[in-house]
């Protein structure tokens, strides 16, 4: 069946793949052999996140559920029974299909988004929605989520280029929309932010950033240069949020292509 999601384990030795239909298989990264199987969803697995220190696997699906599996459970391959029970799960987390998910170990939080245009925040240990965890602002399908550590911040992006910055616990303003802006690829043209990645700035080890995925024109260098000049930095320090680990790190958000 078709592959719908994928991630690596903590040591990058196992390739964990979610499939159409709901199965999750753990493959040996070197030779592709199936090592174990997890069963818990009845529809496409839309997102996988590996909770490294806990050796847990978090998954979401079009069946509107979150499942947490014990990745250390023994397994004997594809033709054998599933590898251990589900550690915990919750159903009906959204009214419509769940499309993306993010996880933060330091914040102990899971974020989910669905085609109902809503972001929801969940406690990782109990899989209960946070008191202020129903985040409503997007007017289009949400395509990407990412926690901007070390700050208590979640960024969400939708298919028409809107990016929202939300406060989460332990910030006093948890659940509040701090800022939103539009990801502009070319002047007066909206660009879908399909992917966001956090990057570590090489020139200064205590500065972090994330990039929103954006198409680059294939015409000539002048068009590409015009797009890159439209990058819009936003200093999180101006929002007066403290870091989770209080180490004084700075977060800067960039839109555009790397």
């Amino acid at each position: 069946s078709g592959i719908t999601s994928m991630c690596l384990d903590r040591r990058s030795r196992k390739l964990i793949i979610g499939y159409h239909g709901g199965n999750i298989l753990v493959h040996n990264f070197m030779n592709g052999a199936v090592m174990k199987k997890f069963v818990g969803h009845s529809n496409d697995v839309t997102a996988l996140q590996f909770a490294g220190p806990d050796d847990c696997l978090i998954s979401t699906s079009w069946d509107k559920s979150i499942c947490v599996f014990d990745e250390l459970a023994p397994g004997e391959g594809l033709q054998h029974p599933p590898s251990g029970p589900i550690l915990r799960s919750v159903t009906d987390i959204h009214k419509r299909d769940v499309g993306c998910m993010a996880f933060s170990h330091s914040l102990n939080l899971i974020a989910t988004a669905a085609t109902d245009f809503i972001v929801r925040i969940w406690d990782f240990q109990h899989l209960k929605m946070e008191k202020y965890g129903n985040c409503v602002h997007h007017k289009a399908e949400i395509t990407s989520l990412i926690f901007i550590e070390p700050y208590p911040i979640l960024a969400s992006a939708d298919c028409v280029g809107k990016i929202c910055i939300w406060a989460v616990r332990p910030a006093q303003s948890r659940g509040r929309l701090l800022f939103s802006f539009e990801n502009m690829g070319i002047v007066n043209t909206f660009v879908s932010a399909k992917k966001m990645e956090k990057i570590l700035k090489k020139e200064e080890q205590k500065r972090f950033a994330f990039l929103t995925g954006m198409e680059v024109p294939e015409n000539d260098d002048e068009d590409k240069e015009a797009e890159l000049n439209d990058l819009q930095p936003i200093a999180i320090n101006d929002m007066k949020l403290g870091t989770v680990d209080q180490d004084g790190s700075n977060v800067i958000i960039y839109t555009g292509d790397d």
Side-chain angles (χ1 to χ4, degrees):
S1 59
I3 294 174
T4 55
S5 55
M6 182 172 58
C7 73
L8 293 171
D9 75 327
R10 175 168 51 88
R11 297 183 296 173
S12 298
R13 295 182 179 179
K14 301 173 186 175
L15 186 62
I16 305 169
I17 300 177
Y19 290 89
H20 174 76
N23 285 335
I24 300 172
L25 301 182
V26 181
H27 298 258
N28 183 303
F29 185 79
M30 298 301 295
N31 58 26
V34 176
M35 302 173 65
K36 60 183 75 173
K37 174 175 63 176
F38 295 110
V39 175
H41 295 293
S42 60
N43 211 325
D44 292 16
V45 179
T46 54
L48 292 169
Q49 291 276 348
F50 194 84
D54 298 315
D55 285 310
C56 291
L57 177 66
I58 308 167
S59 62
T60 57
S61 168
W62 277 354
D63 64 9
K64 308 169 192 171
S65 69
I66 302 174
C67 292
V68 179
F69 301 93
D70 179 10
E71 204 286 316
L72 294 180
E76 300 182 24
L78 182 61
Q79 304 303 324
H80 294 269
S83 301
I86 301 172
L87 293 178
R88 50 191 179 273
S89 65
V90 60
T91 59
D92 297 322
I93 61 174
H94 286 268
K95 292 183 178 180
R96 300 180 67 179
D97 296 342
V98 178
C100 55
M101 178 257 293
F103 169 70
S104 169
H105 181 266
S106 61
L107 297 172
N108 204 34
L109 292 174
I110 298 171
T112 60
T115 54
D116 56 9
F117 313 156
I118 295 174
V119 177
R120 287 182 172 168
I121 315 296
W122 308 83
D123 177 83
F124 170 61
Q125 294 298 331
H126 305 287
L127 289 187
K128 291 184 178 180
M129 191 169 75
E130 291 285 285
K131 183 177 180 180
Y132 302 101
N134 197 59
C135 304
V136 181
H137 186 74
H138 288 281
K139 304 298 182 183
E141 182 178 352
I142 299 164
T143 54
S144 186
L145 295 168
I146 187 171
F147 285 97
I148 311 297
E149 298 174 329
Y151 285 82
I153 291 175
L154 173 72
S156 58
D158 63 33
C159 62
V160 297
K162 168 90 63 167
I163 297 173
C164 295
I165 311 298
W166 309 89
V168 298
R169 73 177 190 198
Q172 292 183 352
S173 55
R174 67 187 68 177
R176 176 187 165 197
L177 177 65
L178 299 176
F179 193 85
S180 67
F181 62 97
E182 290 159 349
N183 193 26
M184 304 290 286
I186 305 173
V187 178
N188 297 326
T189 301
F190 293 107
V191 178
S192 172
K194 294 183 179 179
K195 183 179 181 181
M196 295 188 290
E197 296 181 357
K198 186 176 70 174
I199 63 170
L200 177 63
K201 302 294 286 182
K202 296 180 180 179
E203 63 271 15
E204 185 177 345
Q205 294 301 310
K206 287 189 176 182
R207 300 186 68 184
F208 295 83
F210 80 86
L211 297 176
T212 62
M214 171 181 292
E215 295 181 0
V216 177
E218 298 179 355
N219 299 337
D220 51 30
D221 293 338
E222 292 183 2
D223 286 340
K224 183 182 293 187
E225 185 66 26
E227 178 175 327
L228 297 180
N229 286 337
D230 287 331
L231 300 185
Q232 181 180 7
I234 304 166
I236 298 297
N237 283 356
D238 294 341
M239 299 177 185
K240 303 186 184 304
L241 289 174
T243 60
V244 175
D245 53 9
Q246 299 299 320
D247 68 351
S249 300
N250 295 323
V251 172
I252 297 177
I253 298 171
Y254 293 95
T255 67
D257 189 86
D258 55 353

